[in-house]
Amino acid sequence: MMDGPRSDVGRWGGNPWQPPTTPSPEPEPEPDRRSRRGGRSFWARCCGCCSCRNETDADWGPEPHGDRGSGRGRGSSSGGRRPDSRGSDSRRPGSRASGVNAAGDGTIREGMLVVTGVDLLSSRSDQNRREHHTDEFEYDELILRRGQPFDMVLHLSRPYESSDHVALELLIGNSPEVGKGTHVIIPVGKGGSGGWKAQVTKASGQNLDLRVHTSPNAIIGKFQFTVRTRSEAGEFLLPFDPHNEIYILFNPWCPEDIVYVEHEDWRQEYVLNESGRIYYGTEAQIGERTWNYGQFDHGVLDACLYILDRRGMPYGGRGDPVSVSRVISAMVNSLDDNGVLIGNWSGDYSRGTNPSAWVGSVEILLSYLRTGYSVPYGQCWVFAGVTTTVLRCLGLATRTVTNFNSAHDTDTSLTMDIYFDENMKPLEHLNHDSVWNFHVWNDCWMKRPDLPSGFGGWQVVDATPQETSSGIFCCGPCSVESIKNGLVYMKYDTPFIFAEVNSDKVYWQRQDDGSFKIVYVEEKAIGTLIITKAIGSNMRDDVTHIYKHPEGSEAERKAVETAAAHGSKPNVYSTRDSAEDVAMQVEAQDAVMGQDLTVCVVLTNRSSSRRTVKLHLYLSVTFYTGVTGSVFKESKKEVVLAPGASDRVSMPVAYKEYRPHLVDQGSMLLNVSGHVKENGQVLAKQHTFRLRTPDLSLTLLGAAVVGQECEVQIVFKNPLPITLTNVVFRLEGSGLQRPKILNVGDIGGNETVTLHQKFVPVRPGPRQLIASLDSPQLSQVHGVIQVDVAPAPGSGGFFSDAGGNSHSGETIPMASRGGA
């Protein structure tokens, strides 16, 4: 995972990303992919199992160019084919001028079996969409999950006879081929190949009812559909109609699909739930925010398929969830491949959106589909939120996972190495490894036929660009079971993820002769808590136990030492010293942004003799990625401890002291080092604590009904004594409100403001309306309200196109202002 240098501009605080000049509405075409990296394709580099594919695979998607369309535009994401920007394709049905028979002369002979129309029963209220759990998609086309039957009706020019031959055809890609699964032929009444088949369920007059079974291994994507008939009078081919396009997705309800999930409550949560919670902060001070995944919103499915097209993933590989999830992990970030999101950890977001301001994935994905340009900006929780949206949309059970005290191992040692001088002052030029306060990634569920038995189930996929994998900024899918047991030789990227959750923090001190010696090993400092949203509620679910054995247990120590033996410092544990008479613990109060705070260090003498401790405290501000600013306050103290006694060392910190050093998503980092005079024991600890920000208060004013306007009130109090400038609110909720940006100007110090916003629900049921506030002085401010939407009277409860939904920014006057 670490075979690439830290050269990606914009990821680290010291390298603010500078975007290009404002792009024109039409993106430039990408260079020909075969000219990159010495002619090796992305696909060959990213996925070793596909490296044997012919470089000139005819079913690769086209490079993005021409009109992308902005919604369900016919062909806008149908296997990469854009009718308005490409010439006709003689190999596709319906592209012939008007030929509808074998002779190709357009003649309809008497007695031919002509298909006059097709009813795919594709509306959201029809049985197909409901049985396939796709009725929430805001689309009119037929959306299916593979390995599951569906019904259709063919309208014919005459009654169907037993001597007639009918075959259904599904095609995807620019050059569909039967051998690659991109051209599927299903003879009606006969067994098809690979699980495809079609049977007549009813023949009545000029209607022919069919039940069609799809393969559980089918390629996912948008297929063109046609029908071919043959009778004594000749052969007929139904011209292609874009209204008859069919989407096919992975199917976690199908036991034959390798993404099958056994438990229905899991499927409801990890596939069908359109919103979730993402956790951040520190282990002791966990923050949470609601995220609108919006996988069923209009246009999102096209955006997800466009991501696969944009990278040129071979259509023949799109039935494999291992390959699909690996490509998504690469394409959700912009490095290498002009993917969805530009990462930026610099603190300067003036040319894009502060990552803390996003409330969901929909605005991001629709912007990428509409423009073809990477969207500024993302950080780990944004990458993970978008990845959850994409994978759930495509049918993979996926959840968003937060790892607190997440290590970033840069030298494959599988340890977090921190270097100090003779006086235990950090040597920053040597400290390349870092520990993120938290890091957010994804788990997705699938079998792993490419791994030995026992490594299926949850797989880690991480779209945040940290290190390269096979030369590409992607990570996973990696079996959680292999991580738990330190089996770092398992693909993909197990060493890197193991280090994130279960490495030890190793403190090295420079000796008088210039060499370094291990003076302390902190075994419980990394991966201290791993959580995700619980199934069916907004509670937290602690999943640490599936990633690692209990800390300090024999199995956990064996996993760590097994992994370290495969690292770059296999003998790291052989040089340890141990003298731990004095225990140290750091305490920090629940600190609120804008208020004074106090940090304390508690020392306990566990020996039967007196101990003298020289203690040094350094306080700085740190990005959540572990990148620290300069020390702005320090304290030295000598503490004498009687046998068995404890003492507390406190350091008060005023708001005016830390205010000049605040950074976005920043926390306080307390570095504590100490030396026990009597026995030479070295004490070392790093403690991070965050400053809480206020929540937005949302109140629904009246009942919510599909197609009827309702109103929400948003209240915010500025916790700071300074003016917030250029304040921007965002509002979003699947089935309620398309992404909306509200520019509200300045908010004075300690001022309370109230806004009112109207929206029109388009889908019934329990929905989440999510809001955020962002300004240069304050970010990470969110709020959410559940809205229970009633069906429109007499509508049957299905989708309505009503509602004024806005993407562009609006300047909003305040409903009221009040002092604190």
Side-chain angles (χ1 to χ4, degrees):
M1 183 76 187
M2 284 70 67
D3 54 348
R6 279 195 195 177
S7 59
D8 49 316
V9 178
R11 292 189 296 137
W12 310 107
N15 295 315
W17 180 86
Q18 295 299 320
T21 56
T22 303
S24 61
E26 274 306 299
E28 298 177 6
E30 271 190 1
D32 185 89
R33 72 174 60 80
R34 295 176 187 83
S35 66
R36 302 180 189 166
R37 306 268 179 124
R40 290 190 70 216
S41 68
F42 164 90
W43 189 248
R45 288 181 286 123
C46 179
C47 184
C49 64
C50 293
S51 60
C52 58
R53 295 185 182 275
N54 191 319
E55 288 294 318
T56 59
D57 249 356
D59 66 354
W60 285 50
E63 296 295 346
H65 64 281
D67 183 14
R68 274 176 177 72
S70 58
R72 195 182 322 163
R74 306 293 178 190
S76 66
S77 187
S78 57
R81 188 166 182 267
R82 305 186 185 281
D84 51 352
S85 63
R86 299 183 65 85
S88 63
D89 184 346
S90 63
R91 299 186 62 179
R92 284 192 167 271
S95 62
R96 326 174 176 187
S98 59
V100 292
N101 62 13
D105 58 8
T107 304
I108 302 295
R109 298 188 180 89
E110 185 178 354
M112 286 176 60
L113 185 63
V114 175
V115 180
T116 59
V118 176
D119 186 355
L120 294 176
L121 308 175
S122 62
S123 76
R124 296 183 65 227
S125 58
D126 278 325
Q127 183 175 338
N128 281 338
R129 295 280 296 273
R130 286 185 282 112
E131 288 185 347
H132 284 253
H133 307 279
T134 61
D135 50 310
E136 288 289 337
F137 279 99
E138 295 175 1
Y139 280 73
D140 296 327
E141 290 90 348
L142 181 59
I143 303 175
L144 305 172
R145 299 191 187 275
R146 66 185 191 177
Q148 189 172 332
F150 67 98
D151 297 311
M152 70 169 65
V153 180
L154 301 183
H155 303 298
L156 308 174
S157 61
R158 62 168 174 78
Y160 173 74
E161 298 173 358
S162 58
S163 60
D164 293 324
H165 297 274
V166 178
L168 313 178
E169 298 191 26
L170 293 165
L171 304 99
I172 192 169
N174 293 324
S175 300
E177 295 182 26
V178 172
K180 292 182 178 180
T182 52
H183 183 182
V184 180
I185 302 173
I186 315 167
V188 173
K190 298 180 181 179
S193 61
W196 295 94
K197 63 179 180 178
Q199 300 164 319
V200 176
T201 56
K202 183 180 179 182
S204 176
Q206 294 176 211
N207 289 339
L208 187 66
D209 293 10
L210 302 177
R211 171 146 276 218
V212 184
H213 295 258
T214 60
S215 168
N217 303 310
I219 291 167
I220 64 160
K222 184 156 67 169
F223 288 78
Q224 296 186 348
F225 172 77
T226 188
V227 183
R228 189 184 299 271
T229 71
R230 191 174 75 251
S231 62
E232 292 181 0
E235 183 177 309
F236 169 86
L237 179 66
L238 177 70
F240 169 67
D241 182 347
H243 287 89
N244 292 337
E245 289 174 316
I246 298 174
Y247 293 88
I248 297 180
L249 308 177
F250 292 114
N251 191 356
W253 282 265
C254 174
E256 288 76 39
D257 194 326
I258 66 172
V259 306
Y260 174 64
V261 175
E262 183 177 358
H263 307 291
E264 176 60 23
D265 57 344
W266 286 35
R267 297 189 291 248
Q268 291 292 325
E269 180 67 49
Y270 299 137
V271 182
L272 299 183
N273 196 346
E274 295 175 81
S275 65
R277 294 292 177 99
I278 298 179
Y279 303 98
Y280 61 94
T282 68
E283 177 193 3
Q285 299 165 305
I286 297 172
E288 58 183 70
R289 56 177 297 164
T290 302
W291 189 266
N292 182 47
Y293 296 124
Q295 67 266 33
F296 303 133
D297 273 30
H298 175 61
V300 170
L301 177 53
D302 286 311
C304 296
L305 296 177
Y306 170 61
I307 290 171
L308 302 181
D309 296 343
R310 177 67 180 261
R311 188 54 273 163
M313 183 181 185
Y315 290 94
R318 297 190 191 189
D320 175 19
V322 175
S323 301
V324 169
S325 62
R326 187 154 173 81
V327 168
I328 294 302
S329 82
M331 281 299 297
V332 167
N333 69 74
S334 66
L335 296 176
D336 312 305
D337 42 37
N338 299 316
V340 178
L341 275 161
I342 299 167
N344 184 349
W345 286 261
S346 71
D348 178 7
Y349 311 117
S350 58
R351 298 191 180 186
T353 298
N354 184 331
S356 298
W358 298 114
V359 293
S361 308
V362 177
E363 182 180 355
I364 295 167
L365 287 168
L366 294 186
S367 174
Y368 187 64
L369 174 66
R370 185 172 61 250
T371 69
Y373 276 102
S374 303
V375 179
Y377 297 105
Q379 291 180 9
C380 69
W381 67 92
V382 187
F383 291 115
V386 171
T387 299
T388 296
T389 298
V390 175
L391 294 180
R392 284 187 186 180
C393 184
L394 297 178
L396 283 168
T398 307
R399 61 191 186 185
T400 308
V401 175
T402 301
N403 177 37
F404 288 97
N405 295 310
S406 186
H408 181 174
D409 179 21
T410 60
D411 61 1
T412 71
S413 66
L414 303 179
T415 56
M416 290 300 102
D417 300 297
I418 306 174
Y419 294 90
F420 297 84
D421 66 11
E422 295 82 352
N423 299 313
M424 288 302 290
K425 185 175 182 179
L427 294 169
E428 293 298 345
H429 67 286
L430 295 179
N431 292 333
H432 302 302
D433 292 348
S434 60
V435 179
W436 296 30
N437 298 346
F438 68 94
H439 181 43
V440 188
W441 61 64
N442 303 92
D443 284 345
C444 59
W445 185 273
M446 67 183 76
K447 295 178 183 175
R448 287 298 298 269
D450 57 325
L451 296 180
S453 177
F455 293 93
W458 289 118
Q459 313 290 318
V460 174
V461 173
D462 189 350
T464 300
Q466 295 184 83
E467 302 289 339
T468 58
S469 171
S470 301
I472 304 296
F473 280 101
C474 62
C475 182
C478 171
S479 166
V480 172
E481 188 66 20
S482 68
I483 298 167
K484 183 174 185 176
N485 292 292
L487 305 179
V488 295
Y489 46 83
M490 292 283 188
K491 63 182 182 182
Y492 291 96
D493 310 311
T494 312
F496 185 81
I497 303 169
F498 178 87
E500 288 183 299
V501 303
N502 207 11
S503 54
D504 288 342
K505 192 183 282 188
V506 180
Y507 294 78
W508 299 78
Q509 185 179 29
R510 187 168 62 197
Q511 305 301 297
D512 292 337
D513 61 0
S515 65
F516 283 88
K517 175 185 176 182
I518 295 177
V519 293
Y520 184 61
V521 176
E522 200 173 356
E523 295 180 348
K524 300 179 181 179
I526 303 300
T528 50
L529 179 66
I530 306 172
I531 57 176
T532 187
K533 177 187 174 299
I535 294 172
S537 78
N538 285 324
M539 302 295 289
R540 297 196 291 262
D541 185 10
D542 185 345
V543 296
T544 312
H545 64 283
I546 77 164
Y547 275 88
K548 56 202 296 188
H549 297 285
E551 282 285 3
S553 68
E554 184 178 345
E556 188 265 346
R557 287 292 91 196
K558 180 180 178 182
V560 171
E561 294 182 13
T562 297
H566 290 84
S568 62
K569 298 175 183 175
N571 301 314
V572 67
Y573 290 99
S574 63
T575 58
R576 298 177 55 174
D577 284 343
S578 59
E580 300 184 358
D581 289 348
V582 177
M584 179 171 65
Q585 183 179 355
V586 179
E587 297 176 354
Q589 67 188 74
D590 191 13
V592 178
M593 183 80 74
Q595 297 182 0
D596 299 344
L597 57 99
T598 302
V599 294
C600 299
V601 177
V602 180
L603 299 171
T604 302
N605 181 5
R606 297 188 295 199
S607 75
S608 57
S609 304
R610 190 179 75 164
R611 293 289 181 258
T612 305
V613 182
K614 290 186 176 181
L615 204 62
H616 201 155
L617 282 64
Y618 304 91
L619 188 63
S620 58
V621 169
T622 176
F623 288 86
Y624 83 95
T625 56
V627 177
T628 59
S630 58
V631 172
F632 68 85
K633 187 164 188 175
E634 61 182 283
S635 175
K636 294 181 181 180
K637 191 167 185 180
E638 183 170 293
V639 180
V640 178
L641 298 170
S646 295
D647 198 1
R648 179 184 299 263
V649 177
S650 299
M651 184 168 71
V653 185
Y655 170 64
K656 64 181 181 181
E657 289 181 291
Y658 68 76
R659 174 189 162 187
H661 306 278
L662 289 176
V663 295
D664 182 64
Q665 274 290 313
S667 299
M668 297 293 173
L669 174 65
L670 181 66
N671 265 298
V672 185
S673 61
H675 180 266
V676 180
K677 182 178 180 181
E678 288 80 5
N679 65 1
Q681 177 187 350
V682 174
L683 298 172
K685 193 169 185 66
Q686 293 179 312
H687 181 81
T688 305
F689 58 98
R690 73 183 184 93
L691 301 172
R692 286 198 297 108
T693 51
D695 293 327
L696 298 176
S697 174
L698 276 65
T699 305
L700 191 65
L701 306 178
V705 180
V706 169
Q708 297 182 17
E709 188 174 78
C710 57
E711 189 172 17
V712 65
Q713 174 182 278
I714 306 171
V715 179
F716 166 72
K717 180 180 178 181
N718 180 4
L720 303 181
I722 60 173
T723 297
L724 306 181
T725 60
N726 301 318
V727 176
V728 175
F729 284 80
R730 273 182 158 78
L731 194 64
E732 182 177 324
S734 287
L736 298 173
Q737 171 67 59
R738 299 284 268 188
K740 191 170 189 177
I741 300 172
L742 312 172
N743 300 305
V744 299
D746 297 346
I747 299 176
N750 301 120
E751 184 180 3
T752 298
V753 298
T754 302
L755 294 89
H756 289 94
Q757 278 299 302
K758 295 179 179 179
F759 62 96
V760 180
V762 296
R763 286 187 277 145
R767 305 282 167 193
Q768 303 280 324
L769 186 65
I770 309 165
S772 75
L773 173 146
D774 181 58
S775 79
Q777 295 79 22
L778 184 67
S779 61
Q780 197 73 359
V781 178
H782 312 100
V784 62
I785 187 171
Q786 177 160 315
V787 180
D788 294 312
V789 182
S795 69
F798 290 96
F799 169 68
S800 163
D801 279 317
N805 294 316
S806 171
H807 292 274
S808 58
E810 299 180 15
T811 300
I812 305 297
M814 295 296 179
S816 64
R817 290 180 181 265

